[in-house]
PDB file of all heavy atoms in Angstrom:
ATOM      1  N   ARG K   1      96.785  72.223 112.132  1.00  0.00           N
ATOM      2  CA  ARG K   1      98.060  72.151 112.872  1.00  0.00           C
ATOM      3  C   ARG K   1      98.364  73.525 113.541  1.00  0.00           C
ATOM      4  O   ARG K   1      98.013  74.500 113.015  1.00  0.00           O
ATOM      5  CB  ARG K   1      99.254  71.867 111.962  1.00  0.00           C
ATOM      6  CG  ARG K   1      98.956  70.981 110.802  1.00  0.00           C
ATOM      7  CD  ARG K   1      98.847  69.538 111.147  1.00  0.00           C
ATOM      8  NE  ARG K   1      98.595  68.713 109.984  1.00  0.00           N
ATOM      9  CZ  ARG K   1      98.303  67.438 110.007  1.00  0.00           C
ATOM     10  NH1 ARG K   1      98.268  66.802 111.168  1.00  0.00           N
ATOM     11  NH2 ARG K   1      98.102  66.758 108.893  1.00  0.00           N
ATOM     12  N   ARG K   2      99.022  73.440 114.685  1.00  0.00           N
ATOM     13  CA  ARG K   2      99.572  74.653 115.298  1.00  0.00           C
ATOM     14  C   ARG K   2     100.924  74.875 114.673  1.00  0.00           C
ATOM     15  O   ARG K   2     101.824  74.013 114.779  1.00  0.00           O
ATOM     16  CB  ARG K   2      99.639  74.587 116.777  1.00  0.00           C
ATOM     17  CG  ARG K   2     100.018  75.920 117.422  1.00  0.00           C
ATOM     18  CD  ARG K   2      99.918  75.907 118.879  1.00  0.00           C
ATOM     19  NE  ARG K   2     100.183  77.277 119.383  1.00  0.00           N
ATOM     20  CZ  ARG K   2     100.348  77.582 120.664  1.00  0.00           C
ATOM     21  NH1 ARG K   2     100.284  76.648 121.615  1.00  0.00           N
ATOM     22  NH2 ARG K   2     100.531  78.865 121.053  1.00  0.00           N
ATOM     23  N   LEU K   3     101.090  76.007 114.033  1.00  0.00           N
ATOM     24  CA  LEU K   3     102.331  76.308 113.302  1.00  0.00           C
ATOM     25  C   LEU K   3     103.451  76.814 114.199  1.00  0.00           C
ATOM     26  O   LEU K   3     103.240  77.772 114.950  1.00  0.00           O
ATOM     27  CB  LEU K   3     101.997  77.339 112.192  1.00  0.00           C
ATOM     28  CG  LEU K   3     103.227  77.663 111.304  1.00  0.00           C
ATOM     29  CD1 LEU K   3     103.764  76.499 110.573  1.00  0.00           C
ATOM     30  CD2 LEU K   3     102.803  78.791 110.313  1.00  0.00           C
ATOM     31  N   ILE K   4     104.587  76.195 114.113  1.00  0.00           N
ATOM     32  CA  ILE K   4     105.843  76.724 114.709  1.00  0.00           C
ATOM     33  C   ILE K   4     106.596  77.348 113.536  1.00  0.00           C
ATOM     34  O   ILE K   4     107.085  76.641 112.630  1.00  0.00           O
ATOM     35  CB  ILE K   4     106.657  75.579 115.342  1.00  0.00           C
ATOM     36  CG1 ILE K   4     105.791  74.888 116.431  1.00  0.00           C
ATOM     37  CG2 ILE K   4     107.922  76.189 116.030  1.00  0.00           C
ATOM     38  CD1 ILE K   4     106.382  73.532 116.851  1.00  0.00           C
ATOM     39  N   TYR K   5     106.694  78.640 113.564  1.00  0.00           N
ATOM     40  CA  TYR K   5     107.218  79.394 112.423  1.00  0.00           C
ATOM     41  C   TYR K   5     108.603  79.938 112.724  1.00  0.00           C
ATOM     42  O   TYR K   5     108.796  80.825 113.550  1.00  0.00           O
ATOM     43  CB  TYR K   5     106.253  80.515 112.015  1.00  0.00           C
ATOM     44  CG  TYR K   5     106.397  80.968 110.559  1.00  0.00           C
ATOM     45  CD1 TYR K   5     106.430  79.998 109.539  1.00  0.00           C
ATOM     46  CD2 TYR K   5     106.402  82.313 110.249  1.00  0.00           C
ATOM     47  CE1 TYR K   5     106.601  80.389 108.232  1.00  0.00           C
ATOM     48  CE2 TYR K   5     106.535  82.668 108.904  1.00  0.00           C
ATOM     49  CZ  TYR K   5     106.614  81.735 107.918  1.00  0.00           C
ATOM     50  OH  TYR K   5     106.729  82.160 106.579  1.00  0.00           O
ATOM     51  N   SER K   6     109.615  79.404 111.999  1.00  0.00           N
ATOM     52  CA  SER K   6     111.005  79.788 112.175  1.00  0.00           C
ATOM     53  C   SER K   6     111.272  81.072 111.386  1.00  0.00           C
ATOM     54  O   SER K   6     111.125  81.021 110.152  1.00  0.00           O
ATOM     55  CB  SER K   6     111.922  78.666 111.774  1.00  0.00           C
ATOM     56  OG  SER K   6     111.523  77.452 112.377  1.00  0.00           O
ATOM     57  N   VAL K   7     111.707  82.126 112.050  1.00  0.00           N
ATOM     58  CA  VAL K   7     111.776  83.402 111.369  1.00  0.00           C
ATOM     59  C   VAL K   7     113.269  83.901 111.436  1.00  0.00           C
ATOM     60  O   VAL K   7     113.799  84.107 112.559  1.00  0.00           O
ATOM     61  CB  VAL K   7     110.887  84.478 112.058  1.00  0.00           C
ATOM     62  CG1 VAL K   7     111.013  85.808 111.351  1.00  0.00           C
ATOM     63  CG2 VAL K   7     109.474  83.967 112.052  1.00  0.00           C
ATOM     64  N   PRO K   8     113.948  84.090 110.328  1.00  0.00           N
ATOM     65  CA  PRO K   8     115.237  84.734 110.324  1.00  0.00           C
ATOM     66  C   PRO K   8     115.151  86.155 110.816  1.00  0.00           C
ATOM     67  O   PRO K   8     114.119  86.829 110.655  1.00  0.00           O
ATOM     68  CB  PRO K   8     115.720  84.676 108.853  1.00  0.00           C
ATOM     69  CG  PRO K   8     114.442  84.564 108.096  1.00  0.00           C
ATOM     70  CD  PRO K   8     113.455  83.792 108.954  1.00  0.00           C
ATOM     71  N   LEU K   9     116.183  86.646 111.432  1.00  0.00           N
ATOM     72  CA  LEU K   9     116.127  88.019 112.014  1.00  0.00           C
ATOM     73  C   LEU K   9     116.336  89.110 110.979  1.00  0.00           C
ATOM     74  O   LEU K   9     115.977  90.243 111.294  1.00  0.00           O
ATOM     75  CB  LEU K   9     117.231  88.112 113.102  1.00  0.00           C
ATOM     76  CG  LEU K   9     117.064  87.234 114.306  1.00  0.00           C
ATOM     77  CD1 LEU K   9     118.154  87.504 115.344  1.00  0.00           C
ATOM     78  CD2 LEU K   9     115.666  87.322 114.935  1.00  0.00           C
ATOM     79  N   PHE K  10     116.700  88.762 109.786  1.00  0.00           N
ATOM     80  CA  PHE K  10     116.791  89.702 108.687  1.00  0.00           C
ATOM     81  C   PHE K  10     117.068  88.920 107.402  1.00  0.00           C
ATOM     82  O   PHE K  10     117.555  87.777 107.473  1.00  0.00           O
ATOM     83  CB  PHE K  10     117.884  90.785 108.924  1.00  0.00           C
ATOM     84  CG  PHE K  10     119.200  90.231 109.452  1.00  0.00           C
ATOM     85  CD1 PHE K  10     120.149  89.637 108.666  1.00  0.00           C
ATOM     86  CD2 PHE K  10     119.441  90.295 110.850  1.00  0.00           C
ATOM     87  CE1 PHE K  10     121.289  89.108 109.206  1.00  0.00           C
ATOM     88  CE2 PHE K  10     120.572  89.762 111.368  1.00  0.00           C
ATOM     89  CZ  PHE K  10     121.526  89.210 110.552  1.00  0.00           C
ATOM     90  N   PRO K  11     116.757  89.469 106.256  1.00  0.00           N
ATOM     91  CA  PRO K  11     116.984  88.746 105.035  1.00  0.00           C
ATOM     92  C   PRO K  11     118.509  88.533 104.756  1.00  0.00           C
ATOM     93  O   PRO K  11     119.301  89.352 105.159  1.00  0.00           O
ATOM     94  CB  PRO K  11     116.406  89.647 103.934  1.00  0.00           C
ATOM     95  CG  PRO K  11     115.482  90.600 104.685  1.00  0.00           C
ATOM     96  CD  PRO K  11     116.085  90.786 106.017  1.00  0.00           C
ATOM     97  N   HIS K  12     118.804  87.400 104.152  1.00  0.00           N
ATOM     98  CA  HIS K  12     120.161  87.121 103.841  1.00  0.00           C
ATOM     99  C   HIS K  12     120.213  86.079 102.742  1.00  0.00           C
ATOM    100  O   HIS K  12     119.218  85.419 102.444  1.00  0.00           O
ATOM    101  CB  HIS K  12     120.970  86.637 105.003  1.00  0.00           C
ATOM    102  CG  HIS K  12     120.471  85.297 105.584  1.00  0.00           C
ATOM    103  ND1 HIS K  12     120.934  84.082 105.184  1.00  0.00           N
ATOM    104  CD2 HIS K  12     119.494  85.074 106.488  1.00  0.00           C
ATOM    105  CE1 HIS K  12     120.307  83.114 105.843  1.00  0.00           C
ATOM    106  NE2 HIS K  12     119.390  83.677 106.632  1.00  0.00           N
ATOM    107  N   LEU K  13     121.315  85.972 102.078  1.00  0.00           N
ATOM    108  CA  LEU K  13     121.477  84.954 101.036  1.00  0.00           C
ATOM    109  C   LEU K  13     122.460  83.902 101.542  1.00  0.00           C
ATOM    110  O   LEU K  13     123.198  84.129 102.482  1.00  0.00           O
ATOM    111  CB  LEU K  13     122.079  85.671  99.774  1.00  0.00           C
ATOM    112  CG  LEU K  13     121.190  86.714  99.117  1.00  0.00           C
ATOM    113  CD1 LEU K  13     121.916  87.379  97.995  1.00  0.00           C
ATOM    114  CD2 LEU K  13     119.867  86.112  98.636  1.00  0.00           C
ATOM    115  N   PRO K  14     122.380  82.687 100.932  1.00  0.00           N
ATOM    116  CA  PRO K  14     123.236  81.623 101.378  1.00  0.00           C
ATOM    117  C   PRO K  14     124.768  81.962 101.401  1.00  0.00           C
ATOM    118  O   PRO K  14     125.524  81.389 102.126  1.00  0.00           O
ATOM    119  CB  PRO K  14     122.981  80.465 100.438  1.00  0.00           C
ATOM    120  CG  PRO K  14     121.610  80.755  99.930  1.00  0.00           C
ATOM    121  CD  PRO K  14     121.491  82.259  99.892  1.00  0.00           C
ATOM    122  N   THR K  15     125.132  82.961 100.559  1.00  0.00           N
ATOM    123  CA  THR K  15     126.541  83.349 100.452  1.00  0.00           C
ATOM    124  C   THR K  15     126.957  84.350 101.493  1.00  0.00           C
ATOM    125  O   THR K  15     128.130  84.708 101.593  1.00  0.00           O
ATOM    126  CB  THR K  15     126.867  83.843  99.064  1.00  0.00           C
ATOM    127  OG1 THR K  15     125.953  84.945  98.723  1.00  0.00           O
ATOM    128  CG2 THR K  15     126.707  82.747  98.032  1.00  0.00           C
ATOM    129  N   ASP K  16     125.992  84.933 102.247  1.00  0.00           N
ATOM    130  CA  ASP K  16     126.317  85.918 103.250  1.00  0.00           C
ATOM    131  C   ASP K  16     127.194  85.322 104.340  1.00  0.00           C
ATOM    132  O   ASP K  16     127.135  84.136 104.664  1.00  0.00           O
ATOM    133  CB  ASP K  16     125.046  86.489 103.903  1.00  0.00           C
ATOM    134  CG  ASP K  16     124.274  87.363 102.952  1.00  0.00           C
ATOM    135  OD1 ASP K  16     124.881  87.818 101.919  1.00  0.00           O
ATOM    136  OD2 ASP K  16     123.127  87.642 103.216  1.00  0.00           O
ATOM    137  N   ARG K  17     128.011  86.180 104.934  1.00  0.00           N
ATOM    138  CA  ARG K  17     128.833  85.792 106.070  1.00  0.00           C
ATOM    139  C   ARG K  17     128.454  86.558 107.264  1.00  0.00           C
ATOM    140  O   ARG K  17     127.978  87.699 107.234  1.00  0.00           O
ATOM    141  CB  ARG K  17     130.315  86.050 105.749  1.00  0.00           C
ATOM    142  CG  ARG K  17     130.869  85.104 104.621  1.00  0.00           C
ATOM    143  CD  ARG K  17     130.921  83.666 105.099  1.00  0.00           C
ATOM    144  NE  ARG K  17     131.406  82.797 104.047  1.00  0.00           N
ATOM    145  CZ  ARG K  17     130.639  82.082 103.243  1.00  0.00           C
ATOM    146  NH1 ARG K  17     129.315  82.177 103.350  1.00  0.00           N
ATOM    147  NH2 ARG K  17     131.164  81.271 102.334  1.00  0.00           N
ATOM    148  N   ALA K  18     128.671  85.947 108.424  1.00  0.00           N
ATOM    149  CA  ALA K  18     128.242  86.589 109.701  1.00  0.00           C
ATOM    150  C   ALA K  18     128.870  87.917 109.916  1.00  0.00           C
ATOM    151  O   ALA K  18     128.343  88.826 110.490  1.00  0.00           O
ATOM    152  CB  ALA K  18     128.557  85.653 110.836  1.00  0.00           C
ATOM    153  N   ALA K  19     130.120  88.080 109.436  1.00  0.00           N
ATOM    154  CA  ALA K  19     130.823  89.371 109.622  1.00  0.00           C
ATOM    155  C   ALA K  19     130.088  90.505 108.973  1.00  0.00           C
ATOM    156  O   ALA K  19     130.028  91.638 109.501  1.00  0.00           O
ATOM    157  CB  ALA K  19     132.266  89.250 109.078  1.00  0.00           C
ATOM    158  N   GLY K  20     129.411  90.192 107.863  1.00  0.00           N
ATOM    159  CA  GLY K  20     128.666  91.240 107.182  1.00  0.00           C
ATOM    160  C   GLY K  20     127.277  91.458 107.707  1.00  0.00           C
ATOM    161  O   GLY K  20     126.583  92.355 107.268  1.00  0.00           O
ATOM    162  N   ALA K  21     126.884  90.598 108.651  1.00  0.00           N
ATOM    163  CA  ALA K  21     125.556  90.712 109.197  1.00  0.00           C
ATOM    164  C   ALA K  21     125.519  91.465 110.535  1.00  0.00           C
ATOM    165  O   ALA K  21     124.406  91.718 111.036  1.00  0.00           O
ATOM    166  CB  ALA K  21     124.991  89.293 109.442  1.00  0.00           C
ATOM    167  N   GLY K  22     126.674  91.849 111.025  1.00  0.00           N
ATOM    168  CA  GLY K  22     126.694  92.579 112.301  1.00  0.00           C
ATOM    169  C   GLY K  22     125.879  93.820 112.260  1.00  0.00           C
ATOM    170  O   GLY K  22     125.175  94.172 113.228  1.00  0.00           O
ATOM    171  N   LYS K  23     126.011  94.565 111.136  1.00  0.00           N
ATOM    172  CA  LYS K  23     125.242  95.856 111.071  1.00  0.00           C
ATOM    173  C   LYS K  23     123.724  95.578 111.032  1.00  0.00           C
ATOM    174  O   LYS K  23     122.975  96.354 111.585  1.00  0.00           O
ATOM    175  CB  LYS K  23     125.670  96.624 109.809  1.00  0.00           C
ATOM    176  CG  LYS K  23     127.111  97.094 109.855  1.00  0.00           C
ATOM    177  CD  LYS K  23     127.435  97.920 108.633  1.00  0.00           C
ATOM    178  CE  LYS K  23     128.895  98.441 108.700  1.00  0.00           C
ATOM    179  NZ  LYS K  23     129.281  99.189 107.450  1.00  0.00           N
ATOM    180  N   ALA K  24     123.331  94.519 110.356  1.00  0.00           N
ATOM    181  CA  ALA K  24     121.878  94.220 110.290  1.00  0.00           C
ATOM    182  C   ALA K  24     121.352  93.825 111.678  1.00  0.00           C
ATOM    183  O   ALA K  24     120.281  94.232 112.046  1.00  0.00           O
ATOM    184  CB  ALA K  24     121.644  93.048 109.300  1.00  0.00           C
ATOM    185  N   LEU K  25     122.120  93.068 112.460  1.00  0.00           N
ATOM    186  CA  LEU K  25     121.719  92.740 113.788  1.00  0.00           C
ATOM    187  C   LEU K  25     121.604  93.957 114.712  1.00  0.00           C
ATOM    188  O   LEU K  25     120.717  94.119 115.467  1.00  0.00           O
ATOM    189  CB  LEU K  25     122.657  91.679 114.390  1.00  0.00           C
ATOM    190  CG  LEU K  25     122.175  91.020 115.677  1.00  0.00           C
ATOM    191  CD1 LEU K  25     120.885  90.286 115.522  1.00  0.00           C
ATOM    192  CD2 LEU K  25     123.233  90.123 116.276  1.00  0.00           C
ATOM    193  N   ALA K  26     122.559  94.830 114.520  1.00  0.00           N
ATOM    194  CA  ALA K  26     122.583  96.111 115.293  1.00  0.00           C
ATOM    195  C   ALA K  26     121.350  96.981 114.914  1.00  0.00           C
ATOM    196  O   ALA K  26     120.737  97.617 115.769  1.00  0.00           O
ATOM    197  CB  ALA K  26     123.870  96.896 115.046  1.00  0.00           C
ATOM    198  N   ARG K  27     121.014  97.017 113.640  1.00  0.00           N
ATOM    199  CA  ARG K  27     119.839  97.783 113.147  1.00  0.00           C
ATOM    200  C   ARG K  27     118.523  97.184 113.722  1.00  0.00           C
ATOM    201  O   ARG K  27     117.654  97.898 114.194  1.00  0.00           O
ATOM    202  CB  ARG K  27     119.766  97.776 111.641  1.00  0.00           C
ATOM    203  CG  ARG K  27     120.795  98.626 110.943  1.00  0.00           C
ATOM    204  CD  ARG K  27     120.513  98.678 109.442  1.00  0.00           C
ATOM    205  NE  ARG K  27     119.154  99.271 109.173  1.00  0.00           N
ATOM    206  CZ  ARG K  27     118.563  99.150 108.012  1.00  0.00           C
ATOM    207  NH1 ARG K  27     119.114  98.515 107.011  1.00  0.00           N
ATOM    208  NH2 ARG K  27     117.399  99.765 107.868  1.00  0.00           N
ATOM    209  N   CYS K  28     118.488  95.843 113.783  1.00  0.00           N
ATOM    210  CA  CYS K  28     117.313  95.174 114.373  1.00  0.00           C
ATOM    211  C   CYS K  28     117.250  95.558 115.846  1.00  0.00           C
ATOM    212  O   CYS K  28     116.181  95.830 116.368  1.00  0.00           O
ATOM    213  CB  CYS K  28     117.468  93.663 114.212  1.00  0.00           C
ATOM    214  SG  CYS K  28     116.094  92.756 114.931  1.00  0.00           S
ATOM    215  N   ALA K  29     118.374  95.536 116.535  1.00  0.00           N
ATOM    216  CA  ALA K  29     118.445  95.865 117.952  1.00  0.00           C
ATOM    217  C   ALA K  29     117.977  97.328 118.225  1.00  0.00           C
ATOM    218  O   ALA K  29     117.437  97.642 119.266  1.00  0.00           O
ATOM    219  CB  ALA K  29     119.798  95.661 118.513  1.00  0.00           C
ATOM    220  N   ALA K  30     118.191  98.223 117.253  1.00  0.00           N
ATOM    221  CA  ALA K  30     117.774  99.573 117.367  1.00  0.00           C
ATOM    222  C   ALA K  30     116.311  99.857 117.016  1.00  0.00           C
ATOM    223  O   ALA K  30     115.803 100.934 117.089  1.00  0.00           O
ATOM    224  CB  ALA K  30     118.652 100.461 116.469  1.00  0.00           C
ATOM    225  N   GLY K  31     115.648  98.756 116.536  1.00  0.00           N
ATOM    226  CA  GLY K  31     114.209  98.886 116.173  1.00  0.00           C
ATOM    227  C   GLY K  31     113.935  99.253 114.731  1.00  0.00           C
ATOM    228  O   GLY K  31     112.757  99.478 114.347  1.00  0.00           O
ATOM    229  N   ASP K  32     114.978  99.205 113.889  1.00  0.00           N
ATOM    230  CA  ASP K  32     114.814  99.609 112.491  1.00  0.00           C
ATOM    231  C   ASP K  32     113.853  98.674 111.722  1.00  0.00           C
ATOM    232  O   ASP K  32     113.209  99.057 110.708  1.00  0.00           O
ATOM    233  CB  ASP K  32     116.147  99.616 111.759  1.00  0.00           C
ATOM    234  CG  ASP K  32     117.024 100.804 112.248  1.00  0.00           C
ATOM    235  OD1 ASP K  32     116.574 101.579 113.024  1.00  0.00           O
ATOM    236  OD2 ASP K  32     118.184 100.856 111.695  1.00  0.00           O
ATOM    237  N   PHE K  33     113.723  97.392 112.198  1.00  0.00           N
ATOM    238  CA  PHE K  33     112.931  96.431 111.503  1.00  0.00           C
ATOM    239  C   PHE K  33     111.570  96.239 112.157  1.00  0.00           C
ATOM    240  O   PHE K  33     110.840  95.294 111.734  1.00  0.00           O
ATOM    241  CB  PHE K  33     113.682  95.113 111.415  1.00  0.00           C
ATOM    242  CG  PHE K  33     115.026  95.188 110.770  1.00  0.00           C
ATOM    243  CD1 PHE K  33     116.078  94.325 111.133  1.00  0.00           C
ATOM    244  CD2 PHE K  33     115.321  96.189 109.823  1.00  0.00           C
ATOM    245  CE1 PHE K  33     117.302  94.374 110.544  1.00  0.00           C
ATOM    246  CE2 PHE K  33     116.583  96.222 109.203  1.00  0.00           C
ATOM    247  CZ  PHE K  33     117.587  95.393 109.578  1.00  0.00           C
ATOM    248  N   ASP K  34     111.178  96.990 113.125  1.00  0.00           N
ATOM    249  CA  ASP K  34     109.905  96.844 113.772  1.00  0.00           C
ATOM    250  C   ASP K  34     108.738  96.841 112.786  1.00  0.00           C
ATOM    251  O   ASP K  34     107.761  96.045 112.932  1.00  0.00           O
ATOM    252  CB  ASP K  34     109.680  97.917 114.829  1.00  0.00           C
ATOM    253  CG  ASP K  34     110.545  97.688 116.045  1.00  0.00           C
ATOM    254  OD1 ASP K  34     111.457  96.827 115.994  1.00  0.00           O
ATOM    255  OD2 ASP K  34     110.360  98.444 117.075  1.00  0.00           O
ATOM    256  N   PRO K  35     108.715  97.702 111.784  1.00  0.00           N
ATOM    257  CA  PRO K  35     107.592  97.639 110.807  1.00  0.00           C
ATOM    258  C   PRO K  35     107.472  96.280 110.128  1.00  0.00           C
ATOM    259  O   PRO K  35     106.355  95.829 109.855  1.00  0.00           O
ATOM    260  CB  PRO K  35     107.931  98.752 109.802  1.00  0.00           C
ATOM    261  CG  PRO K  35     108.755  99.770 110.605  1.00  0.00           C
ATOM    262  CD  PRO K  35     109.585  98.848 111.500  1.00  0.00           C
ATOM    263  N   GLN K  36     108.564  95.681 109.775  1.00  0.00           N
ATOM    264  CA  GLN K  36     108.547  94.390 109.144  1.00  0.00           C
ATOM    265  C   GLN K  36     107.986  93.305 110.129  1.00  0.00           C
ATOM    266  O   GLN K  36     107.172  92.439 109.629  1.00  0.00           O
ATOM    267  CB  GLN K  36     109.938  93.981 108.644  1.00  0.00           C
ATOM    268  CG  GLN K  36     110.400  94.747 107.415  1.00  0.00           C
ATOM    269  CD  GLN K  36     111.020  96.124 107.714  1.00  0.00           C
ATOM    270  OE1 GLN K  36     111.073  96.511 108.881  1.00  0.00           O
ATOM    271  NE2 GLN K  36     111.464  96.841 106.729  1.00  0.00           N
ATOM    272  N   TRP K  37     108.382  93.333 111.325  1.00  0.00           N
ATOM    273  CA  TRP K  37     107.876  92.353 112.297  1.00  0.00           C
ATOM    274  C   TRP K  37     106.342  92.557 112.498  1.00  0.00           C
ATOM    275  O   TRP K  37     105.606  91.625 112.619  1.00  0.00           O
ATOM    276  CB  TRP K  37     108.603  92.466 113.621  1.00  0.00           C
ATOM    277  CG  TRP K  37     110.081  92.260 113.534  1.00  0.00           C
ATOM    278  CD1 TRP K  37     111.020  93.030 114.081  1.00  0.00           C
ATOM    279  CD2 TRP K  37     110.788  91.281 112.784  1.00  0.00           C
ATOM    280  NE1 TRP K  37     112.302  92.582 113.765  1.00  0.00           N
ATOM    281  CE2 TRP K  37     112.156  91.497 112.937  1.00  0.00           C
ATOM    282  CE3 TRP K  37     110.359  90.180 112.006  1.00  0.00           C
ATOM    283  CZ2 TRP K  37     113.119  90.703 112.388  1.00  0.00           C
ATOM    284  CZ3 TRP K  37     111.369  89.423 111.393  1.00  0.00           C
ATOM    285  CH2 TRP K  37     112.730  89.685 111.568  1.00  0.00           C
ATOM    286  N   ALA K  38     105.946  93.880 112.592  1.00  0.00           N
ATOM    287  CA  ALA K  38     104.543  94.128 112.737  1.00  0.00           C
ATOM    288  C   ALA K  38     103.741  93.601 111.561  1.00  0.00           C
ATOM    289  O   ALA K  38     102.631  93.052 111.664  1.00  0.00           O
ATOM    290  CB  ALA K  38     104.316  95.635 112.924  1.00  0.00           C
ATOM    291  N   GLN K  39     104.308  93.725 110.339  1.00  0.00           N
ATOM    292  CA  GLN K  39     103.659  93.236 109.147  1.00  0.00           C
ATOM    293  C   GLN K  39     103.555  91.739 109.157  1.00  0.00           C
ATOM    294  O   GLN K  39     102.554  91.167 108.748  1.00  0.00           O
ATOM    295  CB  GLN K  39     104.448  93.673 107.939  1.00  0.00           C
ATOM    296  CG  GLN K  39     103.787  93.357 106.586  1.00  0.00           C
ATOM    297  CD  GLN K  39     102.439  94.030 106.447  1.00  0.00           C
ATOM    298  OE1 GLN K  39     102.335  95.222 106.579  1.00  0.00           O
ATOM    299  NE2 GLN K  39     101.375  93.242 106.232  1.00  0.00           N
ATOM    300  N   LEU K  40     104.618  91.029 109.620  1.00  0.00           N
ATOM    301  CA  LEU K  40     104.500  89.586 109.747  1.00  0.00           C
ATOM    302  C   LEU K  40     103.406  89.197 110.725  1.00  0.00           C
ATOM    303  O   LEU K  40     102.580  88.309 110.424  1.00  0.00           O
ATOM    304  CB  LEU K  40     105.811  89.041 110.293  1.00  0.00           C
ATOM    305  CG  LEU K  40     105.862  87.539 110.707  1.00  0.00           C
ATOM    306  CD1 LEU K  40     105.522  86.636 109.486  1.00  0.00           C
ATOM    307  CD2 LEU K  40     107.182  87.127 111.295  1.00  0.00           C
ATOM    308  N   GLY K  41     103.237  89.932 111.815  1.00  0.00           N
ATOM    309  CA  GLY K  41     102.173  89.610 112.760  1.00  0.00           C
ATOM    310  C   GLY K  41     100.811  89.778 112.110  1.00  0.00           C
ATOM    311  O   GLY K  41      99.952  88.956 112.211  1.00  0.00           O
ATOM    312  N   HIS K  42     100.647  90.881 111.383  1.00  0.00           N
ATOM    313  CA  HIS K  42      99.331  91.125 110.676  1.00  0.00           C
ATOM    314  C   HIS K  42      99.095  90.079 109.612  1.00  0.00           C
ATOM    315  O   HIS K  42      97.950  89.616 109.444  1.00  0.00           O
ATOM    316  CB  HIS K  42      99.328  92.542 110.087  1.00  0.00           C
ATOM    317  CG  HIS K  42      99.244  93.651 111.132  1.00  0.00           C
ATOM    318  ND1 HIS K  42      98.103  93.791 111.933  1.00  0.00           N
ATOM    319  CD2 HIS K  42     100.039  94.625 111.440  1.00  0.00           C
ATOM    320  CE1 HIS K  42      98.278  94.838 112.717  1.00  0.00           C
ATOM    321  NE2 HIS K  42      99.478  95.338 112.441  1.00  0.00           N
ATOM    322  N   ASN K  43     100.126  89.664 108.890  1.00  0.00           N
ATOM    323  CA  ASN K  43      99.929  88.663 107.863  1.00  0.00           C
ATOM    324  C   ASN K  43      99.541  87.309 108.484  1.00  0.00           C
ATOM    325  O   ASN K  43      98.692  86.601 107.927  1.00  0.00           O
ATOM    326  CB  ASN K  43     101.217  88.504 107.038  1.00  0.00           C
ATOM    327  CG  ASN K  43     101.404  89.682 106.121  1.00  0.00           C
ATOM    328  OD1 ASN K  43     100.530  90.489 105.844  1.00  0.00           O
ATOM    329  ND2 ASN K  43     102.594  89.786 105.583  1.00  0.00           N
TER     330      ASN K  43
END
């Protein structure tokens, strides 16, 4: 099969709220999570 892989933009728990995720999205926008995305690619 050709895999369509749905990837969350950062880890979170079901109890998390969007208001608390703003900083995580901003960190992603700044490139803080680039090593994790590169690791996903390699995996």
Side-chain angles (χ1 to χ4, degrees):
R1 326 282 182 189
R2 188 174 187 189
L3 179 62
I4 303 165
Y5 203 46
S6 309
V7 180
L9 295 184
F10 41 82
H12 63 91
L13 298 174
T15 54
D16 287 344
R17 293 292 180 264
K23 292 181 179 179
L25 190 62
R27 289 186 62 195
C28 179
D32 289 358
F33 303 150
D34 287 9
Q36 285 84 357
W37 303 134
Q39 187 61 56
L40 172 59
H42 288 297
N43 287 345

